[in-house]
Amino acid sequence: MNKSKLALLIPLLLTSTSYAQSYSQTDAPDETDVERIVVTGSRIVESIDEVPATITIITRQQIEAQLKVSSELQTMLATLVPGMAPSTGTSSNSSQTLRGRSPLVMIDGVPQSTPLRNGALGIRTIDANSIERIEVIKGATSVYGNGAAGGIINYITKRPNGDSAITGEVSLSSRFSAVEFEDSAGQRIEGMMNGQIDNFSYVASASYEEYGLQKDADGDVIGLKYGLSDAVMQNYFAKLGYQFTDDISMQLVFNHYESEQDSDLMDVVGSVNTGVKTYAIRAPEGTDAPGEPQGPNNQNIMLKYTDEEIFTNTQLVVDAYAQEIENIFFFSYVLANLDEGYTGGQSLIKSDKKGLRATLNSQVEWDNLEATFIYGIDALNDKTSQPLVDGRMWVPEMDMENLAGFLQTKWVFEDDFIIKAGVRRENIDLVVNDYSTLKLCRTPDTCSVPVDVVGDTLEYSATTYNFGIRYNWQAYFQPFANYSQGSDISDIGRLLRTATVNDIADIHTEASIIDNYEVGFTSVLDKFRMEFSAYRSTSELGTTNKYDPATGVYMPVRAPQEIYGYEALAQYTFSNDLDVTATYAWVEGKDTANDVYLGAKQISAPKGTINVNWSPVDEANLSLTYLYVGDRKRFDKVDGEYVGDKGPIDSYHVVNVSGHYNFAQNWDAFIGIENLFNQDYYPAKSQAYTYSGYNVKGLGTSVNLGIKYLF
């Protein structure tokens, strides 16, 4: 472990223990209260029972159970969110779509994704230790603008404990392979303290984790592309609040997250088509692994001003935020150009965002009618590019100015009949200066042709609408239906870097309007709860890839798309100490112009889960999670091989278990086991992605042991 960093971190986490006060689990926020509230759907706090859409809330209790197994948010979301594609088993969330489309990842409502050049690293932008709950709103939405084609994943950060000047916790743990222990042990330390002193409140948390070698069911080290072996993660989070009056408050939030894989390993590359897995070995003595450490690095600062009653029955919230992202990818020999002396290359996505949002919330009541009006403006400047570490420019800087106005309304009749309707007007100017595409050579004889492109200002404007209806008729049948639109210009950078024309105006950079339809219901019968929804979404101009054998480059293909599917959830509470939840999700999609199925980058295999939560005694808890991923075999070989993201997916099963025991006042011991039965499998992405080096196996049986102190 990095001794200097750990030496600095431990005092930060432990110095406050001299002021410690007694703390128990009963002091924690009531999870049942949290489950009844959602904030991201229409940008205000409201009851889930008044939202005509499918929503998944991951509570702090569930986060704690999953953290005992793994700190990876991709795994947590795949396990607990119906409609979320299976985890990739790596640091990347490529192919981990939400209902077949990319979701917009946010922290407290502030976008974390890089939609102008989607590098699929947006899910790992904060450590789970800093999160109070996760809200997932499914289906295209215009409420938050560009990048939310599949819905919203909003990380709601921890809130202060208003009952004490200081409370908190410190946790130490180690995770290792139970298949092949050597060099697999990692270390994690995390801590949090929070409280309120008069009108001032605060939350501060820090996490530091060193990963050991990640090993599959055979004991071999998992391949390095988006790998986690030898990675080091750091997250520092702070939230400061001040209550000026009963109505007026301010809040400042800072979050820094980084994860770097700095390893002396190198890949032994296999492929889906040969059936040989990709795994890692130590680089020969005297050689170094090519490239710089890969991984995400981002920091956010957010300032929020709230006036609960700026005028009669109206709340004002103003958010200002800034974000810097620098995500470094793996070294790739595909980025070679031997004529210029490059044997390969390593790209990074750089994105700087600055935004301002003003939201007004007015409420009016009549005899049997309650009306809510949410309206305001969003302003965003996003500068994104994708250079190579060696100085070459792969995707030129895209300078986006986005100004949008919106109105969302909710009408509640007789407490049971809810209608929601809204409109958003989007205006975007995207400036791209003159640039040249890169000459890239997959082999010495297979190269792309560089093109000089004349830049311009691309202008987009769209008006999108949404409408939903819900009837809470009886507890056993609460139906809903909704229609929502989204305007999406995501991943323009991928279109620019593969340009084959000399004028940016001739590149197919048009926005895609996504129409999303959903029907469903919720039923509660005593201790049994069921949710079901079916959906369909269409886009006028989706984007997929097609391999060009002449240049060795995967070229974008823009064509209409249709995606459809269904989700089901059933939960039974046997007692206060035992409950079981089962889910199943199925999704499919087609390029409707060519009548061909969409690949795994968008469409996931069927997924089912079972979660069991049991507290045999007050001092202990056990959680068991079962994941099933089904077959998806839609594609034939091309010239004897599977291509692109269209490899066949075979089913697999994974069981995880975790538990904790409160062995003394304020002290907890915990254990988590991932892949309990050492299932030997390839994750769905590894099976479907035929690209070189992506076919890595899933993690073999891994054990996490730790201890936590509450104060």
Side-chain angles (χ1 to χ4, degrees):
M1 177 173 285
N2 187 318
K3 302 294 185 183
S4 62
K5 291 182 178 177
L6 183 58
L8 290 172
L9 183 60
I10 290 178
L12 171 65
L13 301 181
L14 297 180
T15 49
S16 58
T17 57
S18 60
Y19 304 99
Q21 300 181 9
S22 177
Y23 179 89
S24 69
Q25 293 288 357
T26 58
D27 297 316
D30 187 348
E31 298 293 348
T32 59
D33 290 340
V34 173
E35 289 186 51
R36 308 311 303 167
I37 300 297
V38 62
V39 301
T40 57
S42 55
R43 303 168 67 130
I44 63 168
V45 177
E46 60 183 337
S47 170
I48 290 180
D49 292 338
E50 295 182 355
V51 179
T54 303
I55 298 168
T56 298
I57 305 294
I58 301 176
T59 67
R60 184 62 201 172
Q61 182 181 9
Q62 293 172 302
I63 293 172
E64 290 280 1
Q66 294 297 316
L67 265 174
K68 293 177 177 64
V69 176
S70 170
S71 61
E72 295 305 309
L73 286 166
Q74 302 97 305
T75 302
M76 188 180 302
L77 289 165
T79 302
L80 299 176
V81 180
M84 192 80 184
S87 173
T88 65
T90 67
S91 64
S92 169
N93 50 271
S94 176
S95 85
Q96 198 170 9
T97 55
L98 184 60
R99 290 187 170 180
R101 300 189 187 276
S102 297
L104 181 65
V105 180
M106 302 187 295
I107 297 176
D108 290 334
V110 173
Q112 302 299 302
S113 306
T114 56
L116 293 179
R117 176 70 274 270
N118 185 4
L121 293 175
I123 287 180
R124 294 180 84 234
T125 53
I126 189 172
D127 186 71
N129 179 51
S130 301
I131 300 173
E132 179 72 32
R133 68 185 187 277
I134 304 173
E135 302 170 350
V136 182
I137 314 297
K138 303 171 189 177
T141 175
S142 63
V143 175
Y144 280 94
N146 185 45
I152 298 166
I153 299 172
N154 195 9
Y155 300 136
I156 306 300
T157 57
K158 285 184 174 178
R159 56 189 177 184
N161 179 4
D163 297 330
S164 177
I166 183 168
T167 61
E169 61 187 47
V170 179
S171 174
L172 295 169
S173 61
S174 179
R175 192 164 181 255
F176 54 88
S177 170
V179 181
E180 177 60 54
F181 179 80
E182 184 180 4
D183 295 328
S184 69
Q187 301 83 34
R188 176 180 171 90
I189 179 171
E190 63 181 52
M192 183 270 295
M193 56 184 180
N194 70 98
Q196 183 165 336
I197 305 171
D198 297 326
N199 293 335
F200 173 74
S201 62
Y202 67 95
V203 178
S205 69
S207 306
Y208 181 90
E209 183 169 5
E210 285 192 345
Y211 295 75
L213 299 186
Q214 308 292 287
K215 300 189 177 183
D216 63 22
D218 298 322
D220 294 324
V221 180
I222 293 172
L224 300 182
K225 282 191 176 177
Y226 302 108
L228 294 171
S229 291
D230 290 335
V232 176
M233 182 281 300
Q234 301 178 72
N235 188 206
Y236 304 102
F237 171 82
K239 178 189 288 186
L240 309 177
Y242 194 83
Q243 193 76 34
F244 292 95
T245 69
D246 290 342
D247 293 331
I248 298 175
S249 62
M250 290 194 72
Q251 181 176 278
L252 178 66
V253 176
F254 172 80
N255 186 70
H256 173 83
Y257 179 90
E258 65 176 275
S259 177
E260 289 188 344
Q261 185 187 41
D262 190 2
S263 177
D264 60 356
L265 300 171
M266 60 181 294
D267 276 342
V268 177
V269 179
S271 76
V272 168
N273 286 296
T274 63
V276 178
K277 72 180 179 183
T278 295
Y279 62 98
I281 60 173
R282 294 290 181 190
E285 188 173 347
T287 63
D288 294 320
E292 296 186 6
Q294 61 172 307
N297 187 321
N298 70 77
Q299 56 186 8
N300 293 266
I301 187 166
M302 301 165 264
L303 181 65
K304 176 184 288 187
Y305 171 87
T306 303
D307 188 334
E308 297 293 347
E309 193 154 4
I310 190 168
F311 50 85
T312 306
N313 296 328
T314 298
Q315 177 200 62
L316 170 67
V317 178
V318 179
D319 293 288
Y321 59 90
Q323 178 194 63
E324 292 183 358
I325 290 177
E326 190 170 284
N327 295 334
I328 300 180
F329 295 90
F330 53 85
F331 184 88
S332 174
Y333 294 100
V334 174
L335 299 176
N337 183 346
L338 296 178
D339 291 344
E340 297 182 12
Y342 298 108
T343 60
Q346 193 172 11
S347 73
L348 65 149
I349 290 178
K350 300 182 68 174
S351 179
D352 293 332
K353 300 190 189 83
K354 296 179 177 63
L356 180 68
R357 304 180 304 182
T359 304
L360 291 152
N361 170 20
S362 298
Q363 298 185 353
V364 182
E365 293 187 19
W366 292 278
D367 290 341
N368 297 311
L369 173 64
E370 298 176 9
T372 303
F373 302 89
I374 307 105
Y375 48 101
I377 58 171
D378 292 343
L380 171 65
N381 175 234
D382 182 351
K383 295 181 180 180
T384 298
S385 61
Q386 188 176 15
L388 301 188
V389 171
D390 56 37
R392 291 178 288 168
M393 183 60 70
W394 199 10
V395 176
E397 183 177 88
M398 298 164 284
D399 189 347
M400 183 184 76
E401 296 284 351
N402 186 352
L403 183 64
F406 60 90
L407 169 65
Q408 300 289 322
T409 67
K410 179 172 70 174
W411 308 81
V412 182
F413 300 89
E414 299 285 353
D415 295 329
D416 296 324
F417 192 73
I418 300 100
I419 294 177
K420 298 187 75 172
V423 60
R424 181 184 178 95
R425 176 66 179 180
E426 202 92 41
N427 291 284
I428 296 175
D429 289 338
L430 185 69
V431 178
V432 180
N433 294 326
D434 298 350
Y435 71 99
S436 298
T437 63
L438 278 181
K439 179 182 179 182
L440 302 176
C441 298
R442 186 173 291 269
T443 69
D445 299 322
T446 306
C447 298
S448 63
V449 179
V451 177
D452 295 326
V453 182
V454 176
D456 199 353
T457 298
L458 303 175
E459 297 180 349
Y460 304 90
S461 61
T463 303
T464 53
Y465 304 90
N466 58 76
F467 178 82
I469 186 169
R470 181 184 181 106
Y471 184 34
N472 295 331
W473 179 50
Q474 298 288 340
Y476 57 80
F477 188 61
Q478 301 175 7
F480 67 85
N482 70 71
Y483 165 73
S484 60
Q485 290 183 306
S487 176
D488 189 30
I489 63 165
S490 60
D491 226 352
I492 293 293
R494 187 150 60 103
L495 302 175
L496 298 181
R497 77 184 189 190
T498 54
T500 57
V501 294
N502 297 105
D503 194 327
I504 196 173
D506 296 327
I507 303 174
H508 293 297
T509 58
E510 298 92 335
S512 179
I513 300 297
I514 299 164
D515 294 295
N516 188 81
Y517 309 84
E518 181 183 19
V519 295
F521 67 88
T522 301
S523 295
V524 179
L525 294 170
D526 194 20
K527 297 181 179 181
F528 177 75
R529 178 184 179 88
M530 180 177 180
E531 299 176 3
F532 179 85
S533 62
Y535 58 88
R536 173 177 175 265
S537 71
T538 61
S539 55
E540 301 169 349
L541 209 59
T543 304
T544 57
N545 287 331
K546 184 176 181 179
Y547 182 67
D548 181 356
T551 63
V553 175
Y554 281 89
M555 300 297 293
V557 176
R558 306 214 69 188
Q561 295 178 351
E562 179 183 25
I563 296 174
Y564 46 91
Y566 64 88
E567 300 167 9
L569 177 148
Q571 181 181 55
Y572 192 83
T573 304
F574 291 90
S575 66
N576 291 334
D577 303 323
L578 177 63
D579 63 79
V580 179
T581 303
T583 73
Y584 186 80
W586 178 89
V587 61
E588 193 52 88
K590 278 190 170 186
D591 169 343
T592 55
N594 300 296
D595 193 30
V596 296
Y597 287 102
L598 300 176
K601 188 169 185 179
Q602 286 185 262
I603 306 301
S604 66
K607 187 189 76 173
T609 65
I610 298 175
N611 292 280
V612 180
N613 189 55
W614 180 41
S615 298
V617 295
D618 291 342
E619 295 81 11
N621 178 267
L622 288 171
S623 294
L624 182 144
T625 300
Y626 165 77
L627 170 69
Y628 162 76
V629 176
D631 295 334
R632 186 173 187 252
K633 300 177 181 180
R634 296 291 193 186
F635 308 103
D636 297 322
K637 292 182 177 180
V638 178
D639 296 329
E641 293 189 339
Y642 294 104
V643 297
D645 59 346
K646 297 179 178 180
I649 298 174
D650 291 317
S651 64
Y652 57 89
H653 312 256
V654 179
V655 176
N656 301 333
V657 65
S658 66
H660 79 90
Y661 180 67
N662 182 213
F663 64 90
Q665 185 177 8
N666 300 339
W667 287 94
D668 258 10
F670 59 85
I671 183 172
I673 304 176
E674 186 170 358
N675 195 358
L676 178 65
F677 301 112
N678 200 37
Q679 175 77 32
D680 188 9
Y681 73 100
Y682 288 94
K685 173 186 169 183
S686 296
Q687 298 185 57
Y689 277 29
T690 66
Y691 317 114
S692 176
Y694 278 82
N695 64 319
V696 297
K697 284 194 172 183
L699 197 66
T701 300
S702 300
V703 179
N704 186 41
L705 294 173
I707 191 168
K708 177 184 289 187
Y709 175 65
L710 306 171
F711 57 88

